[in-house]
Amino acid sequence: MLTREESQQRIARLQDALRDNGMDGALFIHPIDVYYFSGTRQNSTLWVPATGEPRLWVRKSFARGKEESCIGDTRPFPSSKEFPGEFGADAASIGFTFDVAPVQQLNYYQKLLPGRNFVDVSAVNREVRSVKSPWELEQIRYCGTQLAGVFREVPGFLKAGMREVDLAAEFEYRLRKAGGEGYVRMRAFNQELFQGLAVSSATAGATGFFDGAVTGEGMSSASPHGASAALIPVNAPILIDYTGVFNGYIIDMTRFFVIGTLAPELEHAFRTALAIQAYLAEHLKPGAICEELFLQAAAMAQAAGLADHFMGAPGENAKFVGHGVGLELDEFPVLAQGFKVALQAGQTLAIEPKFVFPGMGVIGIENTFVVSEAGGVRLSDLPDDIVYL
């Protein structure tokens, strides 16, 4: 559970950022934001003034919210008539997470607090959350240990002729038994994910809504992502790309398995993916510009003759090669075209250079690193090698 000291440090960093951006405070309603600062995910609204003590109002369950909360002033959510009285006249500019809050909720709070100026605090919030404390890094390392343990069991249950969904079920069963929570929270609108995906050459080239290199076919047009009922063939790469979620935190890893042998073209692509990962890991240092790292990765793919296949099927290529992880799968920063932001020490990123060859399969690697002065430090201990069965 979140400690009071950790909560206070997070709130202090947020308050510094609020003052720097001319905001009098921030009102959080998105559950994972409330959890990040308070330690409870109960149905709550959190007020963090730029100066002074925060306040948490809990709708349900107040008993559990009160027990879990690190906020000293935790109370039941007041009536609509009482709510305006909770704010002083100095709270004129109120930060609100426009990136995730429904318009209906914004309208509700604007009606409760007439005359206040609601401004977007999304970028400020996400930047604060992107830098992980030593306590958070320990949570993610634990995720890596648990997830790596499940990956090590794959040779014992992966068989030729089994369906993708059966492989996924075997993996998810063990991950759940290890204590995996399963919640894969994503902040971006129109994105969703069920723990991860296990796909073979039969469906690796399937395209879809998911903003990543690999989508998979899924089980239906209502769930067009991840494993399908297709049979896993021999002599082709099998991708297992999963999150490990423990104590709310997420680690993201990918490994490849082959029943038989692999085509030389795919082996070449795998070596290229490892080279890109090594380059990026070496340069995950404070001050490095995210876009420049992506462009260098893309240039390495180009030099290897693999540009058309980099980060997606030809014509469906994703424009990133790494993404922040933490309590959500798509946190800041992003190693992406157009993301001209400098890295900061303590940020955590999943680096995932992958190549997609429709009809042949997908190949690559993914590990989660923390930015440090010495370069990226891996948060999991599992060999990158393709496992041949």
Side-chain angles (χ1 to χ4, degrees):
M1 293 181 63
L2 186 67
T3 66
R4 187 173 294 271
E5 180 183 9
E6 181 81 12
S7 170
Q8 290 172 343
Q9 291 173 352
R10 296 176 182 185
I11 288 169
R13 288 173 49 223
L14 174 65
Q15 289 178 320
D16 288 342
L18 292 174
R19 291 192 294 269
D20 290 344
N21 286 271
M23 299 181 197
D24 298 320
L27 197 63
F28 293 102
I29 64 170
H30 191 58
I32 206 60
D33 292 332
V34 173
Y35 173 79
Y36 176 79
F37 292 108
S38 74
T40 183
R41 183 259 173 264
Q42 297 303 301
N43 187 357
S44 311
T45 297
L46 174 66
W47 167 243
V48 180
T51 302
E53 296 301 314
R55 185 173 300 161
L56 183 70
W57 300 284
V58 185
R59 294 181 183 273
K60 185 177 184 296
S61 157
F62 175 71
R64 183 164 181 177
K66 179 70 173 176
E67 178 184 353
E68 295 174 342
S69 176
C70 295
I71 305 299
D73 189 352
T74 296
R75 58 181 72 177
F77 197 93
S79 68
S80 297
K81 291 182 179 180
E82 296 171 330
F83 191 78
E86 301 280 339
F87 295 80
D90 56 341
S93 177
I94 297 177
F96 206 71
T97 49
F98 289 6
D99 61 334
V100 290
V103 174
Q104 183 185 53
Q105 288 295 306
L106 175 60
N107 290 340
Y108 170 75
Y109 283 98
Q110 285 178 325
K111 289 178 181 178
L112 286 182
L113 300 170
R116 319 279 178 154
N117 182 31
F118 281 74
V119 296
D120 191 7
V121 76
S122 305
V124 170
N125 173 52
R126 296 190 73 181
E127 184 172 346
V128 167
R129 285 184 47 193
S130 75
V131 178
K132 307 302 187 290
S133 69
W135 183 86
E136 289 184 283
L137 294 178
E138 284 306 308
Q139 308 307 307
I140 301 174
R141 284 192 182 94
Y142 179 77
C143 295
T145 298
Q146 298 304 105
L147 183 57
V150 179
F151 270 111
R152 289 188 175 96
E153 295 184 38
V154 172
F157 59 80
L158 173 56
K159 308 294 181 185
M162 71 188 311
R163 300 180 304 169
E164 291 178 349
V165 68
D166 294 325
L167 172 59
E170 293 286 350
F171 194 94
E172 291 161 12
Y173 165 75
R174 288 163 175 80
L175 188 55
R176 187 67 167 149
K177 290 278 284 185
E181 295 168 357
Y183 284 97
V184 184
R185 295 181 169 98
M186 297 191 69
R187 200 168 189 90
F189 176 73
N190 200 29
Q191 296 296 299
E192 55 188 1
L193 172 69
F194 182 73
Q195 296 193 55
L197 63 161
V199 300
S200 65
S201 61
T203 64
T207 59
F209 75 93
F210 190 72
D211 188 17
V214 184
T215 296
E217 191 173 280
M219 297 302 293
S220 74
S221 58
S223 303
H225 178 269
S228 73
L231 299 181
I232 294 174
V234 298
N235 301 321
I238 303 160
L239 169 146
I240 301 182
D241 180 352
Y242 266 81
T243 57
V245 187
F246 298 81
N247 200 25
Y249 283 88
I250 301 171
I251 199 166
D252 198 3
M253 296 168 60
T254 300
R255 291 297 184 272
F256 284 84
F257 301 81
V258 179
I259 302 171
T261 59
L262 201 60
E265 185 176 3
L266 294 172
E267 291 181 345
H268 168 61
F270 181 68
R271 290 192 298 271
T272 303
L274 292 181
I276 292 172
Q277 176 185 245
Y279 174 86
L280 294 175
E282 180 183 354
H283 291 83
L284 289 180
K285 299 178 180 181
I289 304 301
C290 293
E291 181 184 55
E292 294 176 5
L293 293 178
F294 167 77
L295 293 176
Q296 180 59 35
M300 293 175 71
Q302 175 77 42
L306 298 168
D308 289 345
H309 304 276
F310 184 52
M311 296 304 293
E316 296 275 352
N317 311 79
K319 300 299 182 182
F320 77 95
V321 71
H323 57 90
V325 292
L327 290 170
E328 293 169 308
L329 186 64
D330 53 349
E331 295 195 359
F332 281 174
V334 188
L335 303 188
Q337 187 171 330
F339 202 84
K340 302 178 182 181
V341 177
L343 293 177
Q344 301 177 58
Q347 291 178 323
T348 45
L349 298 100
I351 303 300
E352 56 169 319
K354 293 170 183 167
F355 297 92
V356 179
F357 300 82
M360 293 183 64
V362 58
I363 200 74
I365 193 67
E366 182 174 22
N367 287 292
T368 299
F369 298 83
V370 57
V371 177
S372 80
E373 295 289 346
V377 177
R378 193 187 295 206
L379 295 175
S380 62
D381 181 19
L382 184 70
D384 291 339
D385 305 328
I386 298 170
V387 177
Y388 289 90
L389 304 174

